[in-house]
Amino acid sequence: MRTNGRGLFLATVERPALIQETARQPMKILVPVKRVVDYNVKVRVKSDGTGVETAGVKMSMNPFDEIAVEEAVRLKEKGAATEIIAVSLGVAACQETIRTALAMGADRGILVESDVDLQPLAVAKMLKAIAEKEQPGLIILGKQAIDDDMSATGQMLAALLGWSQGTFASKVTIEGDSMTVIREVDGGLETVVLNLPAIITTDLRLNEPRYASLPNIMKARKKPIDTMKPADLGVDPTPRLTVVKVEEPAKRQAGKKVGSVAELVEKLRNEAKVI
Amino acid sequence: MDFALSPEQESIRDAVAKLCERFDDAYWLARDADGAFPNELHQALAAEGFLGMCIPQEYGGSGLGITEAAIMMQAIAQSGACMSGASAVHMNIFGLNPVVVFGTHEQKTRMLPPLIAGREKSCFGVTEPDTGLDTTRLKTRAERRGDRYVVNGQKIWTSTAQVADKILLLARTTPLEGVRKKTEGLSLFYTTLDRTKVEVRRIEKMGRKAVDSNQVFFDGLEIPIEDRIGEEGRGFEYILHGMNPERILIAAEAVGVGMVALEKATAYAKERRVFGRPIGQNQGIQHPLAENWMELEAARLMTMNAAWLYDRGDNAGAAANAAKYLAGEAGFKACTQAVMTHGGMGYAKEYHVERYLRESLIPRIAPISPQLVLCYIAERVLGLPKSY
């Protein structure tokens, strides 16, 4: 790995860019979408401390998954993909999340219905089973879900499938049978070239998801959704992690206003004792 | 009985709300100052296919019902766009229903697609200075001369006539003396607003500055016969067809205006601190807001009920009128309370609630006064004698 001196890391020798992005052969893109508490909702912890309140709360598609759907639709519009399959795993209402993806432009859906609390490893195993059946050229996931912030499913899935992964992607370009991904890392941007099939997880700046248009909302109603159970995929979804306790973050103490720099320095030295 | 929105209806509400987020309070405050038509919103809704919501699919629309249209109009108003946003597209949503129901295939193919695509705007010319709700007495004349009609007369309160390309016009084709019933002899036209023969004068008004209201003067406007909708002399009947849907949409818009005012008032009540505590901790502040929510929610349910009746083909008259009354009053009251909750700040334009209040008067007054709704309910629902 080398740096070009501007915080940009180049992992491998870059291939010459082709003039036009072309698909080698018909390629499917699989996009897992998670149903989470809407980002506008102020989350409340359940009184018994077992989790957060979801009853009667507005639920939406995980925002990073919306970015994943958008990227898949853009790749299809450019001719780099032929079919987009939206997959959701969880309770029956996840069907609504799939419909949202279908309204954005996905072609069909798969719902893996389960009332069990699905954890990243179980989800990754089920996605692996679906990938083996559907043979997608690309799987695009959100980098994390905004409910549990695990940021694990994409990486686990790449490991289980033995595919290359481009996580925290902020730009994706497909060139023939490989793909260039610019990743957002602590020091700046890292460019990696992956062979397809591959896994991408989306960062915030990859794209701005589109609004569902009315004709597409109408079309989504007619697109097919297959429903199955974890057992159909040969996966035992029983949780392996135990949640010990969920609680509200400690209330932030009010700050203090200081009148002058001298007072600030005095307080930092004698009260906060940090200088 | 199921009161929940379908997932598709939720998608429509969310998609419209998201689209309207692009047009924030600052945008509408600027339109309130400069009076420019909100073309950007009109075009954005057209681009995403929302203007054709109630137009049949074979003419490029989505063929949905008034229930979905009401959900959309509430979402537009509730985004803070209020009546300025709603009125900018209101005519597109259901205004051309007489064309859909009574027009020929040729007319529908010619008239509907440009409206859905946002290439054309249209306005609605019914009300006249001396004949408000007494529509059958309207004086604008359309005289048949060979293969065309020549129109002379005057309309008032015609919204969007400054920017419209087309007009849906009700005019008398047979004088009152020549008809058996006064509801006969009126004809409906959908035609080009030829500004060489039509003068449009803007009416300066209290609110909704961005969407113009006008006096329209016709001086020999020629209308080709192929622009007449349905049969000659039956225009009043055709117009009546759209009255209940219009009341339902107006009700939904009033609920949206009230809801956004309530949101603003509630946020301010939580954040504004006086005597060391948020003002919203006082029952004098919170009880009126709680009342606003209940009244708005009740009006919304009545609106949805009316829309449901209409879409099933049942008589929606009483429910549509009641919804428009309840929503008009609840919306106005919520806006008034929002200004009062803000105290002095509520009177400042940059807090937006005074703009909401000015716009909330529209669904209270139009398209029918609250008093006439009461008359309708007294007469048609309770069977009391007609009072006027």
Side-chain angles (χ1 to χ4, degrees), chain A residues 37-86:
Chain A
V37 174
D38 187 84
Y39 72 97
N40 281 315
V41 171
K42 192 171 182 296
V43 172
R44 284 177 204 278
V45 173
K46 280 187 192 163
S47 53
D48 62 1
T50 56
V52 299
E53 196 57 67
T54 53
V57 171
K58 180 167 161 43
M59 307 293 280
S60 298
M61 189 192 297
N62 176 40
F64 291 108
D65 299 347
E66 276 189 357
I67 295 173
V69 176
E70 176 65 32
E71 196 62 22
V73 175
R74 288 186 189 189
L75 287 170
K76 189 182 166 193
E77 284 169 350
K78 285 179 190 163
T82 46
E83 191 186 26
I84 301 166
I85 309 160

Side-chain angles (χ1 to χ4, degrees), chain A residues 75-114:
Chain A
L75 287 170
K76 189 182 166 193
E77 284 169 350
K78 285 179 190 163
T82 46
E83 191 186 26
I84 301 166
I85 309 160
V87 186
S88 194
L89 307 94
V91 295
C94 290
Q95 195 164 24
E96 292 165 27
T97 312
I98 295 174
R99 291 275 173 221
T100 306
L102 298 178
M104 288 175 73
D107 298 289
R108 62 186 167 94
I110 298 173
L111 170 65
V112 184
E113 209 181 313
S114 169

Side-chain angles (χ1 to χ4, degrees), chain B residues 305-354:
Chain B
N305 177 43
W308 175 76
L309 285 168
Y310 181 85
D311 284 339
R312 283 162 50 104
D314 286 350
N315 183 356
N321 276 288
K324 131 77 198 170
Y325 178 96
L326 294 172
E329 299 306 304
F332 170 72
K333 200 169 145 190
C335 289
T336 310
Q337 195 56 43
V339 172
M340 296 310 287
T341 304
H342 282 73
M345 297 305 175
Y347 207 60
K349 292 205 183 234
E350 64 181 300
Y351 280 81
H352 307 290
V353 285
E354 66 80 38

Side-chain angles (χ1 to χ4, degrees), chain A residues 138-186:
Chain A
L138 187 62
I139 304 177
I140 312 181
L141 305 90
K143 71 168 178 175
Q144 67 197 76
I146 61 167
D147 50 2
D148 56 20
D149 280 337
M150 289 284 208
S151 192
T153 306
Q155 293 86 335
M156 285 177 170
L157 179 58
L160 291 174
L161 284 167
W163 292 6
S164 348
Q165 55 181 309
T167 50
F168 313 118
S170 66
K171 192 170 195 298
V172 172
T173 322
I174 293 183
E175 292 148 357
D177 54 2
S178 77
M179 178 172 62
T180 304
V181 177
I182 298 181
R183 308 181 58 229
E184 298 205 353
V185 294
D186 281 350

Side-chain angles (χ1 to χ4, degrees), chain B residues 348-364:
Chain B
K349 292 205 183 234
E350 64 181 300
Y351 280 81
H352 307 290
V353 285
E354 66 80 38
R355 185 175 77 250
Y356 301 168
L357 174 60
R358 283 185 282 120
E359 301 206 357
S360 76
L361 270 290
I362 298 171
R364 215 183 164 208

Side-chain angles (χ1 to χ4, degrees), chain B residues 282-298:
Chain B
N282 302 314
Q283 292 181 347
I285 296 287
Q286 55 178 236
H287 283 184
L289 297 178
E291 212 172 297
N292 291 148
W293 182 84
M294 293 189 290
E295 289 172 1
L296 288 167
E297 192 60 14

